[in-house]
Amino acid sequence: MEVLKRIALALVIIGAINWGLIGFFRYDLVSNLFGGESAFLSRVIFGLVGLSGLVCISLLFAPLDSEEHTESERQYGRNSELSTEFGEEADFTDVKDKDANK
């Protein structure tokens, strides 16, 4: 399903760029590349871009960064580790003990 969403997103981006070219420069790149607005291949590309827009609607309602949560964040919430914004302080007690034994 992720591959389908990425393909759909790429087609939506292509469609957005095409609409930007139409809006700013009156230049329809897809039609010019594939033989005009009424050409079969142009209509297929336009149809795929439209279907991709429908698939990308699911991205609009998907939670942000849902794949980046670790298991502890899922279990205990986002801020489960009570560390500072600079990270946890390093524990060098092992190093000190080894140096003291020399």
Side-chain angles (χ1 to χ4, degrees):
M1 189 66 172
E2 290 298 317
V3 173
L4 176 68
K5 286 181 182 180
R6 289 199 182 264
I7 292 170
L9 186 59
L11 286 171
V12 168
I13 291 169
I14 290 169
I17 291 169
N18 194 50
W19 275 109
L21 289 171
I22 292 169
F24 289 121
F25 305 111
R26 294 184 188 175
Y27 180 73
D28 189 349
L29 180 65
V30 173
S31 294
N32 285 336
L33 288 177
F34 298 109
E37 287 181 16
S38 60
F40 177 74
L41 197 52
S42 292
R43 292 178 52 215
V44 168
I45 299 293
F46 289 137
L48 289 174
V49 169
L51 289 175
S52 298
L54 293 175
V55 170
C56 286
I57 289 174
S58 67
L59 297 175
L60 183 63
F61 298 107
L64 297 175
D65 71 339
S66 63
E67 297 174 4
E68 297 177 10
H69 292 299
T70 62
E71 187 61 35
S72 65
E73 289 174 336
R74 286 188 199 110
Q75 187 175 3
Y76 299 111
R78 187 88 172 138
N79 297 321
S80 61
E81 296 180 29
L82 301 173
S83 60
T84 65
E85 63 184 87
F86 301 108
E88 294 182 21
E89 188 173 323
D91 182 21
F92 293 111
T93 55
D94 296 341
V95 176
K96 290 179 186 177
D97 293 339
K98 289 179 184 177
D99 290 339
N101 291 335
K102 286 185 181 182

